[in-house]
Amino acid sequence: MSQPIVYQLGHDPIKDHCFAPGYELLAVTKENTVELYQTKPNSPSKPTLITTLRGHDKTVTSVDISPDGTKILTCSQDRNALVWEWNNAANEFKPTLVLLRINRAATVCKWSPNGDKFAVGSADRIIAVCYYEEENDWWVSKHLKKPLKSTITSLSWHPNNVLLACGSTDGHVRVFSGYIKGVDEKPEPSVWGSKLPFQTLVGDFISETAAWVHDVTFNQDGQGDSLAFVTHDGSISVVYPAGEGQPPAAFITVKTNYLPFKSILFAGNKIVVGGHNCNLIVFEGSQNGWKEAFHVEKQRDLIHDVAPVDEDAEISSHDALNMFKQLDLKGRANKPNQKGSGKALSTINQNTIASVRWYDNGKVSTSGLDGKIVIFAI
């Protein structure tokens, strides 16, 4: 297995990231901005910062780049979504307004596979399915509402460009039709259904514990005939629908002793998850059952010693926490790593993996709360 490629892009948490097709452009969220970097595919050389998109006044929660690589979609706790495109005259990226019509934070955004529309989930118990209206030069939205009753945490488009899966904090994973007349062609019948007008609910699933759903995804094998999601109890669930109006052919839940997973990828007979364990874990299986296969990084000890660092160097969040604890208990704090060695996790990521995305040739990329983008070969 080849060595992981690590990009340390400062020390601010990266909640989400996305590579453009070709992997020469990288977008990362940093507080209320999105930084764009030029990268060399599969190269360890440090990315070059091109520009910073400043259009939101609260935390940017999600970023996605369109399948053709020309548009960057961002959404934020300021209740807005913006579509950024390069403007040759101004020599910069310019945002286009999206009429979301929501009253709470936008939590997640995803382009459809064809790139002609996108979905934005929110804390307003609404999913806005947005498409471009040329005469007004803006993006308008249609709302998916019922039976949503809580914050939308995750979204995944089916390969047919019409079906949309969402996970939410009520523990439910639901599959809706996001069919937009005049934008979409009529989809082929599938195990999810045949007649799919907008807002048709074709699937509603909940795990045994009804824990928060952190992420959901269709199987990206081209068929999209199964669905997987991760919940706050550290479980992975995989659903195999049997057909319209039928109970699932299989609903498999793998319970683990790990901390919660935040992000999931699913293709063929393989699932990759990452989260609060700071390590990627791969599961393998089929409709007959799923089981853990391996950790992407071998962990002998959870924590290991690191060499002393310079007094003026930045300290990790873990060491900072210990400093504050000492300050609280003793009224004074010893700077970590001043004497002897300190402690660090034995994984590359020193904090939660916030998002996992497919990369070139079956590899995956991760972003974390330690400010790192890491590319792993699975």
Side-chain angles (χ1 to χ4, degrees):
M1 192 180 288
S2 59
Q3 283 294 316
I5 297 169
V6 183
Y7 303 143
Q8 182 74 59
L9 305 178
H11 294 280
D12 289 330
I14 300 174
K15 288 177 71 70
D16 198 11
H17 77 289
C18 187
F19 282 91
Y23 310 100
E24 293 178 349
L25 179 69
L26 166 65
V28 302
T29 63
K30 290 278 190 80
E31 297 181 341
N32 60 349
T33 66
V34 172
E35 293 179 352
L36 297 183
Y37 291 86
Q38 186 172 9
T39 61
K40 292 178 181 175
N42 294 295
S43 167
S45 55
K46 191 170 182 183
T48 306
L49 181 64
I50 304 169
T51 188
T52 302
L53 307 181
R54 305 176 190 275
H56 295 286
D57 55 18
K58 286 189 170 61
T59 302
V60 177
T61 51
S62 187
V63 61
D64 202 23
I65 298 176
S66 61
D68 64 1
T70 62
K71 302 180 191 71
I72 301 167
L73 171 64
T74 61
C75 71
S76 163
Q77 291 176 357
D78 63 8
R79 303 173 301 186
N80 290 316
L82 296 171
V83 177
W84 303 80
E85 288 185 85
W86 181 255
N87 185 300
N88 283 321
N91 201 32
E92 63 178 358
F93 282 91
K94 288 282 193 182
T96 304
L97 181 67
V98 181
L99 297 180
L100 286 182
R101 300 178 290 124
I102 58 174
N103 296 317
R104 297 286 185 275
T107 51
V108 58
C109 59
K110 283 282 191 297
W111 283 103
S112 69
N114 292 353
D116 49 11
K117 60 183 180 180
F118 57 85
V120 180
S122 72
D124 203 15
R125 301 172 295 181
I126 285 171
I127 300 169
V129 180
C130 308
Y131 55 99
Y132 188 62
E133 214 172 60
E134 200 153 349
E135 57 269 27
N136 294 314
D137 188 28
W138 58 24
W139 293 79
V140 294
S141 63
K142 292 182 76 171
H143 283 176
L144 297 170
K145 290 183 180 179
K146 292 178 180 179
L148 300 173
K149 292 187 172 66
S150 62
T151 298
I152 308 303
T153 55
S154 52
L155 295 169
S156 176
W157 283 99
H158 189 279
N160 71 2
N161 206 65
V162 170
L163 294 174
L164 178 67
C166 71
S168 53
T169 54
D170 60 1
H172 283 260
V173 164
R174 298 180 176 94
V175 181
F176 290 98
S177 168
Y179 178 82
I180 302 292
K181 196 174 180 181
V183 175
D184 291 310
E185 293 180 11
K186 191 178 178 185
E188 293 290 321
S190 70
V191 290
W192 296 101
S194 50
K195 292 184 178 178
L196 298 172
F198 184 78
Q199 206 167 271
T200 304
L201 181 67
V202 298
D204 191 343
F205 313 103
I206 188 166
S207 65
E208 291 174 26
T209 57
W212 280 25
V213 177
H214 282 300
D215 198 15
V216 61
T217 179
F218 282 103
N219 192 336
Q220 297 301 309
D221 61 359
Q223 303 296 319
D225 55 3
S226 48
L227 184 75
F229 59 95
V230 286
T231 47
H232 195 67
D233 60 353
S235 295
I236 296 170
S237 296
V238 189
V239 181
Y240 294 88
E244 198 167 354
Q246 302 290 318
F251 190 155
I252 300 160
T253 297
V254 182
K255 296 178 180 175
T256 75
N257 293 321
Y258 297 115
L259 294 170
F261 303 117
K262 294 282 290 176
S263 191
I264 182 170
L265 300 177
F266 182 17
N269 64 346
K270 196 171 284 186
I271 285 175
V272 184
V273 291
H276 292 284
N277 304 284
C278 309
N279 196 350
L280 293 178
I281 302 169
V282 177
F283 291 75
E284 291 178 349
S286 66
Q287 195 165 327
N288 299 320
W290 283 81
K291 63 180 182 179
E292 182 183 328
F294 59 91
H295 289 65
V296 172
E297 291 182 80
K298 287 185 170 61
Q299 283 178 277
R300 291 183 183 84
D301 303 308
L302 184 62
I303 293 176
H304 65 93
D305 292 336
V306 291
V309 296
D310 184 78
E311 268 190 52
D312 298 322
E314 290 192 44
I315 62 172
S316 72
S317 56
H318 182 267
D319 287 333
L321 186 63
N322 284 338
M323 278 178 64
F324 284 114
K325 280 181 180 172
Q326 289 176 34
L327 201 60
D328 194 34
L329 292 169
K330 304 174 186 173
R332 66 179 189 276
N334 299 320
K335 181 153 184 170
N337 299 329
Q338 266 185 310
K339 298 173 184 175
S341 62
K343 301 287 183 184
L345 296 177
S346 61
T347 52
I348 292 172
N349 284 289
Q350 295 293 297
N351 207 327
T352 300
I353 294 172
S355 70
V356 187
R357 301 256 190 168
W358 290 115
Y359 192 72
D360 186 32
N361 201 22
K363 296 177 181 177
V364 301
S365 62
T366 68
S367 61
L369 302 189
D370 55 1
K372 283 178 185 165
I373 300 289
V374 188
I375 297 163
F376 292 98
I378 299 297

